Amino acid sequence: MMRDIFASDRLDERFTQLLEDGDPRLRLYVYRLDAAGRKIRPALLVGRPTPDLCEHLRLAHGGGAFAVMIRRGAMMELSGVIRIGVPHQHLA
């Protein structure tokens, strides 16, 4: 079972640091999770971590539960689950 990144101050802080780290060796993998908590393949996102990741997942993918992995070369830097709220609907 993957750890909830936002439920741990240590993981949350490390996650933020990695999203802001400009190291070109960092690679981000994001998978949507199904209702049973299993990764849905293929990955939604593969690329460099960016500070706007959570907002991107909210707006472009409608929020939900996601498995996140960040590697630096062959070394795993962080893996866990994030849950992102759905975008607010503006009423006219």
Side-chain angles (χ1 to χ4, degrees):
M1 183 165 157
M2 295 183 78
R3 300 172 293 176
D4 186 328
I5 291 171
F6 296 143
S8 164
D9 288 342
R10 184 183 62 79
L11 284 176
D12 188 13
E13 183 177 327
R14 182 70 179 135
F15 180 62
T16 300
Q17 290 170 348
L18 288 167
L19 292 181
E20 295 174 352
D21 189 324
D23 187 341
R25 297 175 298 157
L26 286 175
R27 196 79 168 160
L28 167 78
Y29 302 85
V30 178
Y31 300 86
R32 183 173 293 281
L33 296 177
D34 68 13
R38 294 180 302 247
K39 293 178 197 170
I40 299 173
R41 296 181 190 272
L44 285 176
L45 299 172
V46 177
R48 302 252 324 258
T50 61
D52 67 343
L53 174 65
C54 293
E55 190 65 14
H56 174 76
L57 292 173
R58 177 179 289 112
L59 297 176
H61 298 284
F66 302 91
V68 176
M69 295 183 300
I70 301 176
R71 301 180 70 89
R72 188 181 314 264
M75 177 186 271
M76 181 68 71
E77 292 285 334
L78 178 132
S79 67
V81 172
I82 58 174
R83 290 173 177 78
I84 306 294
V86 297
H88 294 321
Q89 299 293 328
H90 296 286
L91 300 175

